[in-house]
Amino acid sequence: MLELKNIRKTYQLGGQETIALENINLSFNRNQFVSILGQSGSGKTTLLNIIGGLDQYTSGDLLVEGTSTKTFKDKDWDSYRNTTIGFVFQSYNLISHLSVLENVKMALSLTGVSTKEAEKRALTALDEVGLSEHAKKRPNQLSGGQMQRVAIARALVNNPKILLADEPTGALDSKTSIQIMELIKRISHDRLVIMVTHNPELAEQYSDRIIRVADGSILEDTVPVNVLNDSTEKFTKSKTSMSFFTAIKSSMKNLLTKKTRTALVTLAGSIGIISIGLVLALSNGMKSYIDDLQKETLSGIPLTISQTSAGNFDSMTESPDKNNTNQSSNEITIKEPITTHQNIYNEDILGNGETFIDFLEREAKGKYSNLTYDTGYQMNVLTKNTNGDIQQVKKEAADPSNPASMFSMGSLFAKLPANGENILSQYEVIASENKAFTYPTNQNELILFVNYDNTLNKDISKALGLSSEETQDAQQLLGKEFRMIDNDSFYEKSPVGNFFINQVIDERMYDNGLEAKIVAIMRPKDATATLISASLGYTEQLETKMLAKEKDSDIIKFMKEHPKTNALSPSNDEIDEDTHKSIMQTLGGDTSPTNISIYPSTFDEREAITKVIGDYNRQIAKKFGKNSDDYTKYMIQYTDMAEMMTGMMTTMLDTITVILTAFAAISLIVSSVMIGILTYVSVVERTKEIGIMRALGARKKDITRIFNAEAGLIGLISGIVGVMITMLLTIPINSIVSKLIDMDGFNASLKPEYGLALILLSVILTLVAGFIPSKGAAKKDPVEALRTE
Ligand code: ADP
Ligand code: MG
């Protein structure tokens, strides 16, 4: 069944060729017990390894059941070792971290036998060598003879046709040796046994045939085989393959035998994951804080569309023109200045009979709590100071010698949105004439707004005609009266020219004014309130009433008749259309809005409104073309202060997150390298095991698979541990943040998809790190691997 034809084996050592075997011609029949005798170094082991397919011959041929092995590929040799050959070694070569039973089962794990079947067959094999009751023990709990029996059981479990034993009794005492010899003799009744020994007595006593080897050549063959008795059976190449599950199980076992080390490496590996996870969780927490801020605190801030818009911050900062490739240093290109954008919302641009305002009111209906139009109308207001003197309520012009006065130039009066929802979300009533008061709705109701810290600026106090005392009784301020003076009472035509002059401010003018009084004092709930920058809030009803009067006033009529004359100035200089419009707006003769404020009450409403504006602009783009000048001219630009505030925060946060993640990634790389080193150490430690597995028929691929599985497993555990620790750490972090810093809505948490991604990343990185050592393990020469201790 086995023929060696002219086998020659040489080793290349330091450029020098050593001949280990030469001119070997041997034939073997089944059910023989053949002993190979010879001195140390004569080539016995080499011969056995070549027969067993563990080592390859240099020239000649080895025929198995008449099949030449010349064309055998790696996988054919693997299958040959797994199905046809059983190996028994002098040093037993059992895997110490596996039980006796698992050692025996290992050969079966390569053939795809089910676990149950493998267990049954392994137990049968152990029974045959008389060790079934020791199945659960570890190899080092057995005596030498027992260990060799386990090795024999392992060699027999696949029912190979050939059993190869390399000095199986070399490490045993003579009594035990005899027992092993008896066992091998029994085995040889139904298979070919080739045994290397240097004990001639044992060979004489037990074997059917003795082959003597000296210096790599055959010296004597007691029963040479001339006629092969086996042409009926053919060698069939079958496939061995270790299932992925088996590989995982094997590496899991190995990891479990080194619990402390595995735990430490896993912890080290998880540090990288934890650091990235924490950065992501914290940034997520900040994002949720910003979202919260946007949703709750900032959602009441109106979107504004002004007659003249400066656009967004983006368009306000000049960015270099990327298309301008002319970078030559001796040419200077003149370019257009950044211009403000005129929003045209009062004209039918689309040609469908609808202005932008019509469109907005129709499309955004129900998506806001307030929609207010500022008209630009500036009321002339009188009040009496504490001495009873009548004074006009107006801010003094900024003092050019005091630059700080420029900052307090905000207007004194502001029209309040009709619906109190937005104002009341930011402001609270601190004093009111009527206890049941919530929000002004009548034309004669005014609200005094004071600062967050209950202060009122001195210039405002003066303008309102309050007493000069340092502290004021809030109740005393309630009921303070103001008179709104219409144009006809305030201005009169100059007798000397085409302009109007102010009438004398007196008791008569005061009495003719429309009465309104402070009914409540309001204060911001916290320092972030931004809705009102004025001090006196009046109702829409008051403005409507006044505008109705102004419409037919003399000065308005005059302005309409003389569109090029400024009625408020004695100068004869002609004015342009824009100036005319703005004067008319100030006087209340042109009520077209200077500013549209849309107050959403929720974040979703804000989104919906921006979408409405976007839809309008898309229609403009469709009509005029996206790149046309008309599009740029007619599109509507809005300002979203809330978006600008949170947008900047988000950009900053994203930048910080990227930087921190990069730092955290370094620790991840360090831990990956560590796992690579560990895999390498593991390969070195398990070199012998690799040799054994190869002898049992494991493919290179299977070896790679085992070490990849080990690295992957560490990566998986590190990843899971890392993600879990991160999640646990977010609990104290959140409680510390909420206790120490007042950040409502801050909630650090690792998003599940990020958690999964991190685990995956951990597995991938450790697989990459373990790849080279795993490949190295597979490349190990099985003969050399077996020789290592
Ligand atoms: P035995 O088993 O009879 O003691 P071996 O078969 O182990 O002898 O060795 C036969 C000869 O081949 C020896 O000279 C040995 O040094 C040499 N040899 C065996 N394996 C190798 C190897 N891997 N590299 C180089 N020389 C080797
Ligand atoms: Mg030897």
Side-chain angles (χ1 to χ4, degrees):
M1 69 174 302
L2 201 66
E3 275 183 281
L4 283 79
K5 284 190 173 165
N6 228 349
I7 290 286
R8 176 185 159 90
K9 174 72 183 175
T10 57
Y11 289 107
Q12 221 66 40
L13 257 190
Q16 243 205 323
E17 201 176 50
T18 13
I19 301 167
L21 292 173
E22 197 166 28
N23 203 19
I24 304 288
N25 285 290
L26 284 171
S27 295
F28 299 95
N29 268 328
R30 56 190 72 241
N31 308 345
Q32 271 194 328
F33 189 167
V34 184
S35 285
I36 298 177
L37 282 173
Q39 287 193 324
S40 183
S42 55
K44 308 181 294 295
T45 299
T46 307
L47 179 62
L48 212 61
N49 286 345
I50 283 174
I51 293 173
L54 213 52
D55 210 349
Q56 259 69 60
Y57 45 85
T58 314
S59 65
D61 196 4
L62 169 73
L63 290 96
V64 186
E65 311 271 26
T67 307
S68 167
T69 58
K70 264 186 187 164
T71 55
F72 266 28
K73 298 198 181 68
D74 274 356
K75 62 171 202 279
D76 301 324
W77 284 116
D78 293 336
S79 132
Y80 170 67
R81 281 197 304 274
N82 189 242
T83 59
T84 312
I85 302 291
F87 268 108
V88 175
F89 306 93
Q90 175 182 354
S91 52
Y92 329 125
N93 283 346
L94 299 176
I95 296 167
S96 54
H97 64 80
L98 295 181
S99 73
V100 164
L101 183 67
E102 283 160 344
N103 265 285
V104 177
K105 261 164 69 182
M106 204 163 85
L108 289 169
S109 72
L110 298 165
T111 50
V113 175
S114 76
T115 322
K116 239 184 172 172
E117 170 74 9
E119 186 132 340
K120 211 180 92 192
R121 273 160 66 172
L123 275 171
T124 315
L126 277 173
D127 202 33
E128 265 172 48
V129 299
L131 279 178
S132 44
E133 70 266 35
H134 298 291
K136 289 275 174 289
K137 285 188 181 168
R138 287 287 164 102
N140 56 12
Q141 292 169 302
L142 301 178
S143 71
Q146 285 172 321
M147 281 198 270
Q148 195 58 294
R149 281 164 192 270
V150 175
I152 292 170
R154 180 179 63 188
L156 293 181
V157 76
N158 268 334
N159 196 22
K161 295 199 180 79
I162 303 166
L163 181 78
L164 302 176
D166 194 351
E167 304 192 31
T169 59
L172 300 174
D173 59 63
S174 52
K175 198 173 144 230
T176 322
S177 293
I178 288 169
Q179 289 169 355
I180 295 293
M181 289 311 289
E182 295 281 354
L183 178 61
I184 294 175
K185 176 84 192 167
R186 209 175 71 220
I187 290 163
S188 74
H189 291 325
D190 45 23
R191 66 199 85 219
L192 168 64
V193 173
I194 305 173
M195 179 185 77
V196 166
T197 180
H198 49 217
N199 188 332
E201 290 93 62
L202 285 181
E204 301 277 352
Q205 193 180 342
Y206 289 96
S207 49
D208 313 324
R209 171 182 173 190
I210 294 172
I211 298 168
R212 274 177 225 279
V213 183
D215 290 333
S217 297
I218 294 161
L219 214 65
E220 188 197 356
D221 188 349
T222 55
V223 192
V225 172
N226 296 317
V227 183
L228 287 169
N229 59 358
D230 67 2
S231 39
T232 50
E233 251 179 274
K234 280 252 168 255
F235 171 74
T236 47
K237 296 174 181 175
S238 63
K239 255 195 186 163
T240 65
S241 110
M242 177 185 273
S243 74
F244 187 64
F245 182 64
T246 312
I248 298 241
K249 246 182 14 191
S250 158
S251 40
M252 183 96 92
K253 277 234 171 64
N254 181 49
L255 288 178
L256 282 179
T257 53
K258 299 156 191 155
K259 285 194 191 72
T260 321
R261 191 214 283 180
T262 306
L264 285 175
V265 168
T266 307
L267 196 69
S270 63
I271 286 173
I273 298 295
I274 294 171
S275 48
I276 291 190
L278 277 183
V279 171
L280 293 177
L282 286 175
S283 126
N284 194 29
M286 275 307 289
K287 275 220 174 75
S288 68
Y289 166 69
I290 294 175
D291 274 1
D292 214 59
L293 194 72
Q294 202 166 27
K295 280 206 176 90
E296 285 175 17
T297 319
L298 302 178
S299 65
I301 297 179
L303 297 163
T304 56
I305 303 164
S306 300
Q307 202 164 263
T308 303
S309 152
N312 300 319
F313 281 165
D314 295 351
S315 62
M316 284 165 72
T317 52
E318 281 196 61
S319 55
D321 188 353
K322 290 195 186 80
N323 298 325
N324 183 11
T325 49
N326 185 6
Q327 299 258 339
S328 141
S329 56
N330 45 27
E331 267 178 44
I332 292 155
T333 313
I334 308 301
K335 65 175 184 179
E336 292 287 327
I338 294 175
T339 50
T340 52
H341 175 77
Q342 302 291 324
N343 277 320
I344 304 168
Y345 37 61
N346 250 341
E347 289 168 36
D348 174 16
I349 304 297
L350 290 168
N352 57 2
E354 205 178 46
T355 66
F356 169 73
I357 289 180
D358 298 334
F359 179 84
L360 179 71
E361 287 187 349
R362 180 165 51 80
E363 289 291 320
K365 195 171 182 166
K367 291 169 183 156
Y368 52 76
S369 54
N370 275 300
L371 177 60
T372 52
Y373 301 103
D374 292 338
T375 54
Y377 173 52
Q378 284 175 20
M379 283 185 294
N380 290 305
V381 183
L382 301 183
T383 191
K384 282 183 179 165
N385 66 20
T386 37
N387 302 328
D389 300 332
I390 297 167
Q391 67 176 62
Q392 189 177 356
V393 181
K394 63 175 179 189
K395 271 202 171 170
E396 264 159 59
D399 176 2
S401 67
N402 176 15
S405 71
M406 297 291 287
F407 293 105
S408 58
M409 278 297 286
S411 106
L412 265 178
F413 293 93
K415 184 167 70 178
L416 296 170
N419 180 334
E421 186 184 318
N422 304 100
I423 299 291
L424 292 174
S425 73
Q426 288 196 358
Y427 297 84
E428 60 193 348
V429 177
I430 56 167
S432 62
E433 284 195 317
N434 176 355
K435 283 270 173 291
F437 174 86
T438 50
Y439 195 72
T441 46
N442 295 325
Q443 66 172 50
N444 63 348
E445 291 179 327
L446 296 176
I447 302 293
L448 176 65
F449 286 91
V450 296
N451 298 325
Y452 174 54
D453 51 0
N454 264 23
T455 58
L456 190 65
N457 298 355
K458 196 164 196 167
D459 55 339
I460 294 170
S461 146
K462 233 169 152 182
L464 297 180
L466 304 181
S467 80
S468 56
E469 273 155 46
E470 282 281 308
T471 42
Q472 309 261 346
D473 182 2
Q475 291 299 323
Q476 290 283 303
L477 297 179
L478 295 172
K480 170 133 185 76
E481 279 187 26
F482 294 86
R483 296 293 160 98
M484 319 295 147
I485 314 300
D486 58 72
N487 289 338
D488 280 347
S489 308
F490 199 77
Y491 301 108
E492 66 183 341
K493 179 83 188 333
S494 163
V496 295
N498 266 344
F499 62 94
F500 283 69
I501 52 171
N502 295 359
Q503 295 194 30
V504 184
I505 292 172
D506 57 13
E507 202 70 47
R508 193 186 53 87
M509 186 193 273
Y510 184 86
D511 289 341
N512 277 339
L514 185 66
E515 186 191 324
K517 57 181 185 176
I518 296 175
V519 293
I521 301 174
M522 285 195 188
R523 180 180 69 181
K525 284 178 184 168
D526 58 50
T528 61
T530 48
L531 288 183
I532 299 291
S533 59
S535 301
L536 276 185
Y538 58 88
T539 59
E540 210 170 300
Q541 285 84 345
L542 178 69
E543 188 182 71
T544 311
K545 181 95 182 178
M546 287 305 289
L547 287 174
K549 281 193 194 179
E550 308 296 32
K551 196 168 54 151
D552 301 317
S553 62
D554 290 342
I555 192 167
I556 299 295
K557 278 187 195 149
F558 177 86
M559 286 285 286
K560 276 184 185 158
E561 282 157 20
H562 305 83
K564 296 216 181 307
T565 308
N566 182 355
L568 292 174
S569 158
S571 155
N572 280 327
D573 292 349
E574 289 198 345
I575 54 171
D576 62 13
E577 220 177 295
D578 285 346
T579 314
H580 173 82
K581 184 178 166 122
S582 108
I583 294 172
M584 284 293 266
Q585 282 176 325
T586 312
L587 292 172
D590 181 345
T591 56
S592 66
T594 53
N595 193 54
I596 306 171
S597 300
I598 313 150
Y599 295 78
S601 53
T602 63
F603 186 71
D604 290 342
E605 284 189 356
R606 174 179 293 275
E607 302 255 284
I609 291 162
T610 55
K611 197 181 158 287
V612 169
I613 300 172
D615 286 346
Y616 178 82
N617 286 338
R618 262 188 291 286
Q619 288 191 30
I620 297 281
K622 221 166 122 194
K623 183 173 165 107
F624 298 104
K626 180 107 192 148
N627 296 314
S628 66
D629 286 347
D630 277 343
Y631 170 71
T632 323
K633 184 175 171 194
Y634 294 125
M635 68 169 294
I636 295 295
Q637 267 188 13
Y638 66 93
T639 309
D640 184 350
M641 279 310 288
E643 169 84 21
M644 284 181 190
M645 284 157 73
T646 57
M648 280 193 298
M649 280 162 86
T650 310
T651 313
M652 235 156 67
L653 180 67
D654 285 346
T655 314
I656 294 171
T657 307
V658 168
I659 294 170
L660 288 181
T661 309
F663 276 113
I666 293 173
S667 61
L668 191 65
I669 290 169
V670 170
S671 53
S672 303
V673 169
M674 261 195 50
I675 285 163
I677 294 171
L678 177 93
T679 312
Y680 178 74
V681 169
S682 182
V683 167
V684 170
E685 274 179 354
R686 294 171 76 187
T687 302
K688 182 132 198 171
E689 198 179 324
I690 294 168
I692 298 165
M693 285 195 286
R694 297 280 279 137
L696 291 174
R699 297 168 304 167
K700 288 182 178 175
K701 232 191 239 174
D702 299 326
I703 306 293
T704 315
R705 207 173 249 191
I706 287 177
F707 288 98
N708 278 342
E710 187 168 314
L713 215 57
I714 291 180
L716 183 71
I717 301 170
S718 302
I720 292 172
V721 167
V723 167
M724 277 185 345
I725 293 180
T726 306
M727 293 196 313
L728 285 178
L729 281 177
T730 56
I731 298 171
I733 286 175
N734 282 333
S735 84
I736 288 171
V737 168
S738 77
K739 274 215 186 81
L740 293 187
I741 328 165
D742 181 29
M743 271 173 88
D744 275 345
F746 180 90
N747 182 22
S749 72
L750 191 62
K751 284 190 196 161
E753 61 264 35
Y754 283 0
L756 286 178
L758 280 177
I759 293 173
L760 195 70
L761 181 71
S762 173
V763 171
I764 290 172
L765 279 179
T766 49
L767 279 180
V768 168
F771 182 76
I772 293 169
S774 300
K775 273 274 173 243
K779 282 213 191 92
K780 277 194 191 302
D781 178 12
V783 179
E784 276 179 41
L786 278 171
R787 210 177 283 156
T788 52
E789 277 312 317

